[in-house]
Amino acid sequence: MNTMDELNRILYVEDEADIRVIAEIALEVVGGFTITSCASGREAVESAERARPDLLLLDMMMPGMDGLSTLEALRALPATASTPVIFMTAKVQAAEVAHYRSHGALDVIAKPFDPMALAEQIRSIWARRKQAAAA
Amino acid sequence: MSAIFDTVLRKIRIAFVLAALVMAVFGFASYRTIDRLADLAINAVNTQDKLVTLEQLNVSLGHAQVSLRDYVLSGAPVDLEQFQARAWEQKNAVETLGTPPVLPEQDELERRVSERTQLQYEAAAARSRGDQAAAIRVMESIRSVEAEAELTTLLQSIRAREEQAWWNSHAVPTAKGAQQVVVAAGALLVAMFLWASWMVRRYERERRRVTSLLDDSEAMTRLLSANMAEGLVTMSTDLVILDMNPAALKVLGYEREEVIGRPVAELLDPSSDREQLRAQLLSQLERPEAFQVSGLDMLAIRKDGSPLPVQVSLNDLRVGGRRRVTVLIRDMSRIRAATEAMKASEQHLREITDTLPVIIAEFDTQHRFRFLNRAAAEFLGRPAPEAIGRPAVELLGEALFAEHKPHLDKVLCGSSVRYEITAADATGAVGTYDMYLIPRRDPSSGELVGFYAFATDITLLKRIDRMKTEFISTVSHELRTPLTSVRGSLGLMSAGVAGKLPDAAANLVGIAQNNCDRLIRLINDILDSEKIESGDAPLRLQVVELTPVVQKALTDIDGFAHEHRVRLRMVAPSTPLSVKVDVDRLLQVLTNLISNAVKFSPSHADVEVRVSSTPRSVRVEVADRGPGIPPEFQRRIFQKFSQADSSDTRAKGGTGLGLNISRTLVEKMGGQIGFTSTPGDGATFFFELPRQGMPAATARTEVPRAPGVALGRKRAILHVEGDGDIRAIVANLAGDCANCVSAGSLADARARLRDTEFDLVLLEPELPDGSGWELLPELQEREAPLPVIVFSADHAEPPAGCEVAALLVKAQTTEEGLVREIRRTLNGDYVSMPMPLEQ
């Protein structure tokens, strides 16, 4: 864990442009975070060093590199080797959620999400993590 | 019956032999007795004669001596003549005694008498010469005296002996004995006669009885043969018909008079059967012993010339000493027809089973094939007759048989079994089969005799099912992606993120947003319902305490209730109630029932959640004061997409799947769900779950942990306690949920706290080196305050200003209670897992 600081910069990967727009607004305008959004895993790997994110927010189902392979690629980079990660997915069955968590995700956010509540949801996951780390 | 006669006859025979023996014995005895009697009589007469003769001899001897003496004295010639006469008499008497010679001493007697006579003549001669003195000298000479004495002695001895003999012949009571023998023999004869006559009468009586029985039996035999369903022909040894019963006449179409006396061969098919029967019979009849031949299939010829298939059984018997042959005729035409029909029906059934695209087989209790249809034979790759009787393990192979084995054991315990199995057939093609095993019982005894196996190839179905699942999953994903954009845009717009909207537009965007939410819920529910039903989302069952789960559901939904201005109340017993459930799914059911109750409640009404139990089950009721459930809707309420009023969908925001999902989930957890309702006066939904025996298997009781923490390190407890035994017990108890480190003293505890990070301290205030209370302020001053559970020997109050998580007294706390408290405290600081947008 390279940081226990406030959550500020988020590296966001989502192949669907419309959703990307909405999430950007939800997180930047509503949530006040700094977002680096990428359309694919490859783009995320390219942007990671520059973005120096506090948190990775990865869509699961993507053409080419999916969420898990993107995470794997990002973990290979020093900047994101241990950055906490939250997955976003439309597949929200219990077994799938458990599977994602087993890959080290803080949590899984289901799609469709409420744009007005998204930032708050991420903040509460972040707070819980801090609590857990402190305990 | 002849046995009785034999017995009687044998008895009579023995009796006669005995009687003959007895009579012979008695006859012989009688003969001997009479013979002896006759002998005795003769002896007596002889003896008497001898005695008389002896007496005469004695007298003659006396007379001779006297007359000699007279002559010697007188010397007169008269006396001489007298003497000569007496002497002659004397000699004569001896000779008389000797003819026939009866005395053993006869010779001696004659010699002595002749000697005496000679001496007497010497004396008489001397006198004749006139010499009296010489005569006297002769008479008194020693020779004369001795001769006289010897003769006398001899005569006396003979006389004595004969007298004794005479007496003997009279002394034996032989006559008396003979009389007794004769009387006894007579009595025996009378007795024998009486016995013989009694036996004869008895024999006669027995004979009559047996004869009447024989008559009855013969009548019965005749009656039986007359009423027999099967034909009976009696014939002589030269194969001529003597009698035929009505059944035989009827089946062959003859009158009785027409067949009596005819050769039996005329009734048979001339081509072969005649000779066959004749040869068969003649070969048997050559031998003297009885014979029996059964089951000869022949073709008889009726009177009208038509052939008749019959089965013939031959038997010989003796009637009145003559040998007879009976022929039992069985009309096979009907049986043959029935057999044909059965064969046809069997063929029909076989065609059906062979045509069915299902593997059908029947096994006995030893797993041996008893039947298999064409599909089964094709699967095994061998013709059915080759498989029949062979064990399944041999034809299926060890590996496949092992997969079936547990199910075979179950079906042979008497219950049907259904399962799926993947197997390769004879060609190597791998398929999935739906197996259905049904026990087979003997129809009459009900005893388990094997089982039927039906296997349907569901490979294609499985593929389709998989496609369906993938389709639903894909569709739901593909639908969610655009919905995410729509819902997101609407949400941002209605929140004014993109600028304030005019009221009318805001209203419209609100409508769009609500319906978008509804659509998302619907997709979620459809997906959920499909997953639960297909078994793709298996329940993770664990034993937990029910009340905390209900409590959590109430907490989760409290905000929603508040929005609807509805108050939630919970009534639950304090005793722990254990159930085996999937906690997430139980929460889903509870949330569904409670949110329904809230939705249908009027403002400011109460929704009451009641937990109750019986020894076998627990019950959760959710009661509202809403409008109740219309009677016409009650039957459909748990069906998919059923809502009392379609307008409700809009008004209440439900998807119409919640209750259906709830019912499926409750049933999958082994329980049942239901409701009671009075229209206009609210509804009460309830479900019941089987109660678990263990009071609380607390090891896995906790509500799901917060994400992230689940992957964290195992929690650590510091147990401060002076008593080593209690330290050991607690370490053992707490070991399940945390690493338990023990400290035996205050100093020890401080050292441990410096070295290690703990999540909880379990504290006994009474310690060997001071008071445990001293630790409390130190613990509370730490960066991350440590919760403390006081676990003390007596009821101890912590000092003012110090907070503890719980106060437990050792003697009053069960092991489960302690573990529960530890868990509660360890989990106490976690927020519950937020549910995604799923309700």
Side-chain angles (χ1 to χ4, degrees):
Chain A
M1 304 265 167
N2 57 353
T3 179
M4 285 279 176
D5 295 342
E6 282 301 301
L7 173 61
N8 199 4
R9 295 182 301 279
I10 298 176
L11 178 65
Y12 175 50
V13 189
E14 165 67 66
D15 63 311
E16 192 79 25
D18 291 350
I19 299 178
R20 218 162 45 234
V21 170
I22 300 209
E24 278 166 18
I25 297 174
L27 294 173
E28 285 184 327
V29 179
V30 180
F33 297 116
T34 307
I35 300 296
T36 307
S37 42
C38 312
S40 70
R42 191 186 310 275
E43 207 177 299
V45 171
E46 286 163 8
S47 322
E49 193 62 35
R50 183 171 26 87
R52 304 199 67 77
D54 303 321
L55 176 73
L56 306 174
L57 185 59
L58 304 181
D59 181 33
M60 255 307 164
M61 301 288 289
M62 292 185 291
M65 286 170 85
D66 68 358
L68 289 176
S69 9
T70 305
L71 178 63
E72 207 175 306
L74 286 172
R75 286 288 183 239
L77 303 175
T80 49
S82 58
T83 313
V85 61
I86 294 175
F87 286 122
M88 289 183 88
T89 181
K91 290 197 165 179
V92 286
Q93 290 307 302
E96 292 159 335
V97 171
H99 176 64
Y100 302 146
R101 284 212 179 116
S102 74
H103 282 82
L106 287 186
D107 208 342
V108 178
I109 293 173
K111 284 198 223 170
F113 53 85
D114 180 349
M116 297 310 292
L118 182 62
E120 195 45 51
Q121 200 176 349
I122 288 172
R123 277 206 177 89
S124 82
I125 293 169
W126 187 259
R128 216 158 54 214
R129 168 184 162 273
K130 267 180 74 181
Q131 239 172 17
Chain B
M1 235 160 259
S2 65
I4 298 170
F5 282 119
D6 283 351
T7 315
V8 172
L9 285 174
R10 199 164 56 239
K11 277 187 190 165
I12 289 174
R13 231 172 265 145
I14 292 168
F16 273 111
V17 169
L18 280 175
L21 277 174
V22 169
M23 279 175 78
V25 167
F26 273 100
F28 182 68
S30 305
Y31 170 77
R32 281 291 304 276
T33 309
I34 290 162
D35 191 41
R36 262 179 81 199
L37 277 174
D39 280 356
L40 283 171
I42 290 164
N43 282 352
V45 169
N46 285 348
T47 312
Q48 235 162 350
D49 285 353
K50 280 182 216 163
L51 284 171
V52 169
T53 316
L54 277 172
E55 197 53 48
Q56 278 172 351
L57 177 63
N58 209 18
V59 169
S60 301
L61 287 174
H63 282 173
Q65 192 68 13
V66 168
S67 60
L68 175 63
R69 200 168 289 156
D70 284 353
Y71 174 60
V72 167
L73 285 175
S74 66
V78 178
D79 289 332
L80 182 60
E81 283 172 25
Q82 189 72 27
F83 162 71
Q84 284 171 335
R86 296 294 180 195
W88 187 85
E89 275 176 22
Q90 171 184 282
K91 205 172 180 323
N92 201 29
V94 175
E95 281 167 9
T96 310
L97 197 62
T99 44
V102 288
L103 292 172
E105 304 87 347
Q106 185 66 34
D107 290 346
E108 194 187 350
L109 196 59
E110 280 182 21
R111 189 166 50 79
R112 287 200 187 276
V113 168
S114 117
E115 192 183 352
R116 187 188 184 233
T117 309
Q118 198 186 335
L119 283 169
Q120 281 173 336
Y121 273 105
E122 276 179 29
R127 184 66 187 96
S128 311
R129 279 181 324 260
D131 191 352
Q132 195 182 30
I136 289 166
R137 273 198 308 277
V138 171
M139 282 177 70
E140 288 176 357
S141 71
I142 294 170
R143 210 160 49 101
S144 293
V145 174
E146 278 183 1
E148 193 65 38
E150 278 174 15
L151 183 62
T152 309
T153 309
L154 183 64
L155 279 173
Q156 271 172 355
S157 81
I158 292 170
R159 194 185 172 87
R161 197 187 69 221
E162 289 304 318
E163 271 177 3
Q164 186 61 46
W166 190 86
W167 276 113
N168 278 353
S169 69
H170 285 80
V172 180
T174 315
K176 190 85 173 172
Q179 190 187 15
Q180 281 169 359
V181 167
V182 169
V183 168
L188 197 70
L189 274 172
V190 169
M192 273 179 58
F193 173 76
L194 287 175
W195 179 79
S197 62
W198 176 77
M199 277 305 281
V200 165
R201 274 196 15 225
R202 214 191 114 179
Y203 170 79
E204 184 60 21
R205 206 164 55 231
E206 190 69 14
R207 195 188 61 79
R208 266 191 225 131
R209 194 177 68 84
V210 172
T211 311
S212 81
L213 277 177
L214 276 173
D215 288 348
D216 284 355
S217 135
E218 200 183 320
M220 195 148 93
T221 309
R222 212 169 280 149
L223 198 69
L224 276 178
S225 82
N227 289 302
M228 250 166 75
E230 287 172 330
L232 186 69
V233 180
T234 312
M235 56 187 183
S236 60
T237 47
D238 50 2
L239 312 186
V240 168
I241 296 170
L242 299 174
D243 197 7
M244 239 169 150
N245 76 341
L249 291 168
K250 190 180 169 197
V251 78
L252 292 168
Y254 285 100
E255 294 297 322
R256 195 163 181 275
E257 298 72 33
E258 294 171 334
V259 284
I260 303 294
R262 278 173 67 180
V264 75
E266 286 183 16
L267 300 180
L268 294 173
D269 178 32
S271 55
S272 64
D273 289 347
R274 274 183 195 178
E275 284 317 304
Q276 191 195 339
L277 185 70
R278 187 192 294 278
Q280 189 94 32
L281 276 173
L282 292 179
S283 75
Q284 294 287 0
L285 287 167
E286 271 169 21
R287 280 175 276 172
E289 62 265 31
F291 68 88
Q292 184 179 23
V293 182
S294 49
L296 296 175
D297 282 312
M298 296 190 159
L299 205 59
I301 302 296
R302 287 204 187 88
K303 186 183 174 186
D304 60 11
S306 61
L308 172 75
V310 289
Q311 202 170 61
V312 169
S313 300
L314 301 170
N315 249 312
D316 76 338
L317 72 164
R318 293 189 178 271
V319 181
R322 275 182 239 167
R323 205 171 185 185
R324 295 278 181 261
V325 180
T326 59
V327 185
L328 203 62
I329 302 172
R330 210 162 160 206
D331 178 358
M332 296 302 283
S333 56
R334 269 188 213 168
I335 293 171
R336 222 164 261 183
T339 311
E340 296 290 324
M342 221 160 88
K343 269 188 198 156
S345 149
E346 200 185 300
Q347 182 63 30
H348 187 213
L349 275 176
R350 179 155 269 287
E351 267 173 38
I352 293 172
T353 58
D354 280 350
T355 314
L356 278 175
V358 178
I359 292 174
I360 302 173
E362 185 194 330
F363 297 87
D364 63 13
T365 52
Q366 306 298 308
H367 312 132
R368 285 185 298 242
F369 279 94
R370 278 175 49 89
F371 168 86
L372 57 166
N373 71 344
R374 188 183 296 157
E378 277 167 8
F379 179 85
L380 295 172
R382 11 176 132 228
E386 207 180 287
I388 303 272
R390 295 173 68 180
V393 62
E394 196 183 315
L395 298 185
L396 295 178
E398 296 277 355
L400 184 55
F401 182 75
E403 279 189 65
H404 284 287
K405 186 68 173 51
H407 307 290
L408 305 186
D409 292 345
K410 201 170 160 197
V411 75
L412 285 175
C413 287
S415 45
S416 299
V417 198
R418 193 155 195 177
Y419 58 101
E420 279 178 18
I421 205 155
T422 304
D425 67 9
T427 66
V430 176
T432 306
Y433 294 88
D434 175 38
M435 298 294 306
Y436 198 12
L437 306 183
I438 300 169
R440 180 174 160 260
R441 294 182 181 282
D442 185 274
S444 50
S445 69
E447 190 193 346
L448 195 80
V449 291
F451 61 93
Y452 300 106
F454 303 92
T456 316
D457 187 347
I458 52 165
T459 316
L460 193 64
L461 278 178
K462 286 299 251 190
R463 199 182 309 147
I464 293 168
D465 189 58
R466 215 162 31 242
M467 281 164 64
K468 186 195 82 173
T469 308
E470 278 165 16
F471 175 77
I472 289 176
S473 179
T474 308
V475 162
S476 96
H477 174 254
E478 294 305 320
L479 285 173
R480 274 160 199 267
T481 305
L483 271 172
T484 306
S485 303
V486 174
R487 172 68 179 79
S489 305
L490 292 170
L492 292 172
M493 249 201 292
S494 68
V497 176
K500 175 110 176 68
L501 293 176
D503 285 351
N507 195 23
L508 289 173
V509 169
I511 290 169
Q513 193 179 357
N514 281 340
N515 282 280
C516 193
D517 285 346
R518 218 182 105 210
L519 191 54
I520 292 164
R521 278 200 301 276
L522 186 59
I523 292 167
N524 285 343
D525 279 357
I526 289 173
L527 191 62
D528 201 20
S529 163
E530 198 278 328
K531 292 255 179 184
I532 294 166
E533 277 172 19
S534 69
D536 278 357
L539 299 185
R540 288 166 300 164
L541 295 177
Q542 51 188 16
V543 178
V544 299
E545 222 179 278
L546 176 67
T547 315
V549 181
V550 177
Q551 187 67 60
K552 175 166 166 43
L554 283 165
T555 312
D556 287 353
I557 214 157
D558 196 48
F560 180 72
H562 192 72
E563 272 175 39
H564 282 74
R565 294 187 182 84
V566 171
R567 251 197 337 238
L568 298 180
R569 289 178 49 204
M570 177 168 164
V571 181
S574 56
T575 48
L577 299 170
S578 293
V579 287
K580 193 172 184 183
V581 293
D582 180 324
V583 175
D584 288 338
R585 293 308 198 174
L586 184 61
L587 278 171
Q588 189 180 344
V589 173
L590 284 162
T591 307
N592 182 264
L593 294 184
I594 299 169
S595 66
N596 275 352
V598 167
K599 277 187 267 181
F600 287 96
S601 286
S603 286
H604 306 295
D606 283 356
V607 165
E608 196 170 273
V609 179
R610 293 187 286 261
V611 179
S612 60
S613 71
T614 70
R616 302 191 65 90
S617 66
V618 294
R619 183 182 172 102
V620 179
E621 293 178 334
V622 180
D624 67 53
R625 311 298 300 169
I629 302 153
E632 67 276 10
F633 177 59
Q634 294 188 355
R635 206 180 304 162
R636 294 183 292 121
I637 192 160
F638 287 109
Q639 288 173 10
K640 282 183 188 172
F641 299 110
S642 61
Q643 281 165 322
D645 181 345
S646 60
S647 68
D648 283 350
T649 312
R650 278 185 296 280
K652 310 294 181 191
T655 62
L657 282 167
L659 281 175
N660 178 264
I661 291 172
S662 294
R663 182 177 66 175
T664 311
L665 287 173
V666 168
E667 285 172 358
K668 288 215 171 202
M669 289 188 276
Q672 49 196 353
I673 195 166
F675 65 92
T676 54
S677 173
T678 314
D681 194 28
T684 301
F685 279 83
F686 63 86
F687 63 86
E688 283 175 2
L689 292 167
R691 190 174 173 180
Q692 296 298 305
M694 273 161 55
T698 39
R700 278 149 199 90
T701 303
E702 73 258 48
V703 226
R705 288 175 178 181
V709 176
L711 301 165
R713 67 182 166 82
K714 196 170 183 183
R715 262 80 64 83
I717 300 175
L718 176 64
H719 183 208
V720 189
E721 165 63 65
D723 184 328
D725 288 344
I726 295 177
R727 283 202 303 271
I729 294 169
V730 171
N732 196 22
L733 282 173
D736 267 354
C737 51
N739 290 324
C740 188
V741 176
S742 305
S745 64
L746 208 55
D748 198 355
R750 287 193 174 113
R752 301 274 179 193
L753 283 164
R754 267 196 306 277
D755 297 339
T756 320
E757 266 199 41
F758 291 102
D759 302 293
L760 171 69
V761 175
L762 193 60
L763 180 67
E764 161 66 71
E766 293 260 351
L767 291 169
D769 58 344
S771 167
W773 298 130
E774 288 176 34
L775 277 177
L776 289 182
E778 297 169 31
L779 293 171
Q780 285 176 354
E781 283 161 23
R782 287 163 69 101
E783 255 186 34
L786 267 176
V788 175
I789 296 175
V790 175
F791 190 48
S792 62
D794 50 23
H795 200 81
E797 278 293 333
C802 293
E803 279 182 19
V804 294
L807 275 170
L808 300 176
V809 177
K810 285 171 186 167
Q812 294 167 11
T813 309
T814 61
E815 294 171 353
E816 288 91 343
L818 176 64
V819 172
R820 194 159 54 231
E821 202 54 51
I822 291 172
R823 285 181 183 285
R824 199 186 59 76
T825 311
L826 282 174
N827 293 325
D829 51 348
Y830 298 129
V831 289
S832 51
M833 181 180 116
M835 301 293 280
L837 272 173
E838 258 197 323
Q839 325 177 340

